[in-house]
Amino acid sequence: MAKMTGAQALLESLKREKVEVMFGISGGALLPIHDVLCDSEIRHILARHEQGAAHMADGYARASGTAGVCMATSGPGATNIVTGLANAYLDSSPVIALTGQVPTYSANTSYMIGRDAFQEADIIGITTPITKYNVQVKHASEIPNAVKSAFYIATTGRPGPALVDLPKDTQTVKAEMDFSDNVQIRGYKPNTDPHPLQIKKAVNLLLNAERPMVLAGGGVNLSGASPELLQIAELLMMPVATTFMGKSCFPENHPLSMGNIGMHGTMLANKMILEADVLLAVGTRFQDRSTGTLNGFCPDAKIIHIDVDAAEIGKNVDVEVPIVGDAKPTLTMINQRLVKKVKKQKNGPWVKQVQAAKEKYLSELDLGSGDLTSPKLLKELRRLLPEQAIIATEVGQNQMWAALHFQTIKPRTFISSGGLGTMGFGFPAAIGAKVACPECPVVDIAGDGSFRMTEQELGTSVTEDIPVIVIVLNNSMLGMVAQWQRLFYQKRYAAVKLGNVPDFAKLAQAYGAEGVHIESLTEFSAVIKNALKTEVTTVIDVPISPDDDVFPMVPPGKGLKDTVGGL
């Protein structure tokens, strides 16, 4: 036990959770905490908008594999992080949000909260559906346990965001603090170890399969189970498709890689997964963007579904073998049983069929006409970047082009907003990823519409010395919406033309960053090489045609068998 103020207890609790950095904006309800931060070793990165701070914490969490922390003041500061928390919740990212709150009492009343005081918002009520855990501290002495619980719940089982709301008086009051490591949370017991009987059933199915295939989701990245997945795939010579959130969990330059399935998945993955007779699905929730309509999804496959969240199993598809457990220990147990029963398989008829299909679709690959198309640019970018480079994306056409045409090789090197589809996510997430992995180049693949939403964080990247590269695929349009209007609304464009403002190169220069406008692939290569050596953020404005579409595509309301387009 130690006597200190609530603000001091908060910083001590964060220190014990090994927090080295947090992202946020100060305000009146946080002044006691920021005063203590002056004497702390924890780095506070001053964002330009609270939404940006939440996305930075999210990007930090995804790149590092540890919790990311953001902080915002009461009222509008707290509500500004809501989109960031919803984004983290949909993508199972462990973000810890700390929010200031009005005092619990004042000179005029014994209870202040709930009286609509200045900058008061019911952030607990607002964030209940989009956090894994949230709590409002009532007394200063509760702070250590509240923080410990938030980190424990956010990072165990299926990860997700947590929020601790801190009334201002709880930050200033002195109390005896108990920093116990024991966390007792009634009703919360995540099950990470799979049942051995289910493992046995899964192994038997895999051994008797003629056309086995893996569908790897974001749970593989979260669990750090890429090595185990690779071992099983190579042992049984199983082709591997990933969901959008699973991208980067399996090396896409591997002969068994088939790329992403889904609305903008590869033609290869979308077609071949329908041929499987056994599907090993790991850490995926069979989201509609991945499966299309469920009628006709893997019609002949017996599905083995591994997920740490029991609620996801059987929710969207019927499964033959449900396994509740963390991906890493589950795949480890499956692999241990397999190696006792079989030797490494050779290319059988199924693998030869998949490889023939792969060659066919690659030979039909259309990178677009002209010198400077998004697919050509992304393939050139892959050639220029090291394997460990981290790609963040915005949302829209840029995101889908990146998923299709930029091969990821190392785990946790592709960061995007999958579930919520949050425009403006990519750039602040890239900043967070760069803080987590300062030795890695970090590139944000952006569209002009999405980058406009959080471009003010250029100020953060410059003043905090966090250099990233932003590639703006600029068609002066909300490109994906325009594509749908082009394909399904007879080219009746409405509310999508953004115009030619701002000049992104000059905008970057105004913040003190590098800003470059390019007109050719040759210029692009030269600028990327220079940007990799530059110690300040570089924004590359790339003009693309507003008529370019992203293909392949599963039309809305259709299934994977209805995929149209090349690749």
Side-chain angles (χ1 to χ4, degrees), residues 159 217-228 282 325-331 412:
V220 178
N221 274 324
L222 290 169
S223 175
S226 293
E228 291 75 12
V282 190
D326 184 83
K328 192 175 185 72
T330 304
L331 292 180
R412 292 187 179 275

Side-chain angles (χ1 to χ4, degrees), residues 47-104:
R48 297 304 186 265
H49 191 283
E50 290 87 354
Q51 180 182 346
H55 292 329
M56 289 176 202
D58 195 341
Y60 180 94
R62 299 193 203 199
S64 68
T66 61
V69 181
C70 62
M71 188 160 66
T73 192
S74 62
T79 57
N80 279 345
I81 65 170
V82 168
T83 296
L85 293 179
N87 189 81
Y89 186 76
L90 267 294
D91 287 351
S92 305
S93 183
V95 171
I96 307 293
L98 307 171
T99 50
Q101 184 56 276
V102 300
T104 60

Side-chain angles (χ1 to χ4, degrees), residues 299-531:
D300 302 321
K302 294 179 179 177
I303 298 176
I304 304 162
H305 189 185
I306 301 168
D307 204 290
V308 74
D309 185 352
E312 291 297 343
I313 294 180
K315 186 173 81 174
N316 291 324
V317 298
D318 294 330
V319 300
E320 186 79 9
V321 180
I323 303 179
V324 179
D326 184 83
K328 192 175 185 72
T330 304
L331 292 180
T332 298
M333 290 177 67
I334 290 176
N335 189 49
Q336 288 171 343
R337 276 187 171 269
L338 285 171
V339 295
K340 292 179 181 176
K341 294 179 177 290
V342 295
K343 294 181 178 178
K344 184 174 179 179
Q345 303 293 293
K346 298 180 179 178
N347 285 358
W350 168 235
V351 174
K352 290 178 181 175
Q353 180 184 343
V354 171
Q355 289 176 339
K358 193 171 189 176
E359 291 174 8
K360 173 181 179 294
Y361 290 126
L362 285 175
S363 69
E364 298 171 354
L365 181 60
D366 181 8
L367 299 181
S369 60
D371 176 57
L372 200 56
T373 66
S374 297
K376 290 178 181 174
L377 179 144
L378 289 161
K379 290 190 176 297
E380 177 67 1
L381 182 66
R382 172 68 286 173
R383 190 182 70 80
L384 295 169
L385 294 180
E387 292 184 353
Q388 72 273 18
I390 296 172
I391 295 295
T393 83
E394 304 292 344
V395 166
Q397 286 182 310
N398 62 87
Q399 180 186 34
M400 295 302 134
W401 276 317
L404 283 164
H405 298 289
F406 186 90
Q407 277 192 341
T408 51
I409 299 169
K410 298 291 186 183
R412 292 187 179 275
T413 56
F414 189 82
I415 296 172
S416 192
S417 174
L420 196 63
T422 308
M423 291 179 69
F425 169 77
F427 180 43
I431 292 173
K434 183 65 178 178
V435 174
C437 304
E439 75 285 358
C440 293
V442 179
V443 180
D444 174 35
I445 306 296
D448 54 298
S450 206
F451 184 57
R452 280 179 173 91
M453 294 190 177
T454 50
E455 51 82 5
Q456 73 274 11
E457 301 303 343
L458 280 166
T460 305
S461 73
V462 171
T463 59
E464 298 279 352
D465 295 322
I466 309 169
V468 300
I469 300 172
V470 182
I471 300 171
V472 182
L473 302 175
N474 187 356
N475 56 11
S476 302
M477 298 273 276
L478 296 174
M480 186 60 86
V481 182
Q483 177 172 332
W484 281 52
Q485 291 175 340
R486 192 156 46 244
L487 296 176
F488 308 119
Y489 291 85
Q490 297 77 49
K491 299 184 179 179
R492 289 167 55 84
Y493 297 113
V496 292
K497 297 179 180 178
L498 295 168
N500 296 319
V501 292
D503 181 319
F504 288 106
K506 290 182 178 176
L507 177 73
Q509 292 163 8
Y511 277 103
E514 293 285 342
V516 186
H517 180 83
I518 60 127
E519 295 285 352
S520 71
L521 204 57
T522 302
E523 283 184 309
F524 174 74
S525 301
V527 169
I528 288 292
K529 290 175 183 175
N530 188 57

Side-chain angles (χ1 to χ4, degrees), residues 105-146:
Y105 66 89
S106 74
N108 300 318
T109 175
S110 61
Y111 202 78
M112 188 85 168
I113 292 175
R115 298 172 68 93
D116 296 334
F118 176 66
Q119 288 194 334
E120 179 185 0
D122 177 15
I123 198 63
I124 295 298
I126 291 169
T127 61
T128 294
I130 55 169
T131 53
K132 196 175 171 188
Y133 171 76
N134 67 12
V135 62
Q136 185 178 76
V137 172
K138 300 296 193 300
H139 305 283
S141 60
E142 298 171 3
I143 288 176
N145 185 63

Side-chain angles (χ1 to χ4, degrees), residues 94-285:
V95 171
I96 307 293
L98 307 171
T99 50
Q101 184 56 276
V102 300
T104 60
Y105 66 89
S106 74
N108 300 318
T109 175
S110 61
Y111 202 78
M112 188 85 168
I113 292 175
R115 298 172 68 93
D116 296 334
F118 176 66
Q119 288 194 334
E120 179 185 0
D122 177 15
I123 198 63
I124 295 298
I126 291 169
T127 61
T128 294
I130 55 169
T131 53
K132 196 175 171 188
Y133 171 76
N134 67 12
V135 62
Q136 185 178 76
V137 172
K138 300 296 193 300
H139 305 283
S141 60
E142 298 171 3
I143 288 176
N145 185 63
V147 173
K148 189 74 182 175
S149 298
F151 274 81
Y152 176 67
I153 293 176
T155 57
T156 54
R158 178 179 181 172
L163 182 144
V164 180
D165 195 35
L166 300 151
K168 190 172 182 180
D169 58 296
T170 67
Q171 303 168 30
T172 56
V173 168
K174 279 191 173 182
E176 293 289 339
M177 303 293 179
D178 180 4
F179 294 98
S180 172
D181 288 333
N182 295 324
V183 181
Q184 296 292 334
I185 301 163
R186 188 169 58 184
Y188 182 73
K189 294 180 180 177
N191 181 18
T192 58
D193 296 325
H195 195 287
L197 180 60
Q198 299 303 92
I199 297 293
K200 182 179 178 182
K201 290 180 179 177
V203 168
N204 288 339
L205 264 186
L206 290 169
L207 290 175
N208 290 304
E210 295 181 354
R211 301 184 303 280
M213 189 164 165
V214 176
L215 177 61
V220 178
N221 274 324
L222 290 169
S223 175
S226 293
E228 291 75 12
L229 176 64
L230 181 63
Q231 288 172 355
I232 293 174
E234 291 184 337
L235 178 67
L236 298 181
M237 292 302 289
M238 281 198 298
V240 178
T242 61
T243 66
F244 179 74
M245 290 303 297
K247 186 175 172 70
S248 86
C249 76
F250 191 83
E252 292 182 310
N253 59 351
H254 193 286
L256 291 171
S257 172
M258 306 177 72
N260 292 349
I261 67 162
M263 176 171 276
H264 290 288
T266 67
M267 187 69 81
L268 175 69
N270 280 359
K271 294 294 186 184
M272 298 313 297
I273 197 170
L274 302 180
E275 302 291 325
D277 65 347
V278 171
L279 183 67
L280 177 62
V282 190
T284 176
R285 56 191 172 99

